[in-house]
Amino acid sequence: MTYTTRTEGCDSLRDALVSTLAGSFEQHGFRRSEDVNGLQFVLNLTNAAAPTPYRRRSQSVFVISVLSIPGPPADLRSFCYASLVRSLSNLAVAIVPPRPDHRRLDGCEIYFTTPEAGFYHLPYEANAVFERVFPIATAHYATNNDLVPDLPERYWHGSAAVEDVRRHGAVLDRMGVLPLPFPLDSVLSPDELHHLYKIFGMTGLSYGNLSARERVSEFSNGSFWMTARGCNKARLQGAGRDVLMVREFDFDRGIAHVSMPPEGEPRARVSVDAVEHALIYETYPGVGAIVHVHAWMDDIVCTPQNFPCGTRELAEEVSRLLDDTPDPSRAVIGLKNHGITVTGPTLADIFERFQGRLKTTVPMFS
Ligand SMILES: [Zn+2]
């Protein structure tokens, strides 16, 4: 597997950290390459004053931007998030030295920021930094859609399950757990925003998603309705628009087979987390509905890694954790530094369990 680097100017702390990081990746079988085809990830060496992006040719390339911030601003979280989106990255690694003239990595604090609004930090230690970067750099996106007009006619105008998804989308919106972490349009130009949405597979209205199983006799057992990417959960349009039928999922190729009615929206794409929902429906026949929000609940199990949204690795880890719960069809799994995925026999059952337990702040673990 290959990676490449893109470097702007020089910065001793940043360059030292990247050289150590690259060395660790090479020990794990990665090779640096100038050939952009087949790249797994890019180390983008940028700067805090004006972070700039590596322009990917393919969505499946992960970009890790590294920068140093010698005089950190009071609101470091917003600063790091703005650097992440300006550099169009999947992860921003920011080095904050104890004093502006400090020249060694030892003694620096390392801050990690992800598009899922993850923000956590630890004192510099080469291995610890590598362990945080590795799962993000080496994950595999499974967010492609294949829209096929093969939805049986009786579902063209929806079903009880579609209405259930629409109703609960509005409830979720009222609960205030679908926030954007940062007003993106205040830091990005329309062109950058467009590129960002393409990379992260969103259109910026809100986070989170809902789905409900629909057993369609013509389809395999795992079919379900799910909210589309970047739609407004408060006012979900119906089948083939904001609520899409995932007939099945090709896990090897990372493609959702989406069954459309003839009048469906050709630009619609199912939520990037369809891979996770599909794996759960396929594995646990008792699961009838799934909700994912950037919120938290006490006393839940949590994934040890924070894999990006829409990756095969995240789906597999959530499914593995469900296996260890007393009842996988009624469980809550914490996604580290990100949010929760909740299963239930129905959406109503899940929302009942939210009552008084849902916390809007996601705890961060380094
Ligand atoms: Zn999420």
Side-chain angles (χ1 to χ4, degrees), residues 4 8 16 27 67 91 93 104 106 269 308:
T4 197
E8 274 182 300
Q27 276 172 15
L67 62 159
L91 174 69
V93 180
R104 291 180 311 122
D106 286 326
R269 297 290 178 270

Side-chain angles (χ1 to χ4, degrees), residues 12-140:
S12 57
L13 287 176
R14 177 199 70 183
D15 299 352
L17 184 136
V18 170
S19 115
T20 314
L21 200 54
S24 303
F25 273 107
E26 285 174 21
Q27 276 172 15
H28 282 76
F30 282 83
R31 188 171 51 78
R32 187 173 161 176
S33 167
E34 297 307 321
D35 182 358
V36 295
N37 295 308
L39 283 179
Q40 171 67 29
F41 67 92
V42 176
L43 296 171
N44 180 35
L45 289 75
T46 189
N47 64 75
T52 53
Y54 168 86
R55 290 270 172 171
R56 316 162 166 70
R57 296 217 167 82
S58 150
Q59 189 202 17
S60 60
V61 178
F62 287 87
V63 176
I64 319 293
S65 287
V66 185
L67 62 159
S68 76
I69 310 177
D75 189 353
L76 187 57
R77 182 175 191 263
S78 291
F79 188 87
C80 286
Y81 198 79
S83 303
L84 174 88
V85 294
R86 282 210 179 103
S87 58
L88 303 171
S89 311
N90 302 94
L91 174 69
V93 180
I95 308 157
V96 178
R99 293 175 313 281
D101 61 349
H102 185 91
R103 291 280 172 268
R104 291 180 311 122
L105 285 167
D106 286 326
C108 291
E109 197 69 14
I110 311 298
Y111 288 80
F112 300 85
T113 313
T114 70
E116 295 87 22
F119 181 66
Y120 43 97
H121 59 100
L122 38 89
Y124 174 78
E125 197 275 308
N127 229 357
V129 172
F130 176 68
E131 279 170 14
R132 302 305 180 286
V133 176
F134 187 79
I136 296 178
T138 59
H140 297 85

Side-chain angles (χ1 to χ4, degrees), residues 116 207-209 272-273 292-294 309 314 335 338-340:
E116 295 87 22
Y207 278 144
N209 46 62
V272 293
D273 290 311
H292 164 62
V293 284
H294 290 195
C309 266
L314 178 64
L335 314 180
H338 175 178
I340 49 174

Side-chain angles (χ1 to χ4, degrees), residues 213-255:
R213 190 193 286 276
E214 179 96 71
R215 289 194 165 90
V216 178
S217 52
E218 293 90 334
F219 297 169
S220 69
N221 251 333
S223 54
F224 59 95
W225 294 103
M226 186 172 193
T227 45
R229 248 168 247 188
C231 56
N232 183 354
K233 310 290 184 303
R235 279 189 301 279
L236 289 172
Q237 299 183 59
R241 299 198 161 262
D242 289 341
V243 185
L244 301 173
M245 161 62 71
V246 178
R247 174 182 175 150
E248 61 199 348
F249 204 97
D250 181 338
F251 293 100
D252 293 329
R253 291 165 62 222
I255 303 173

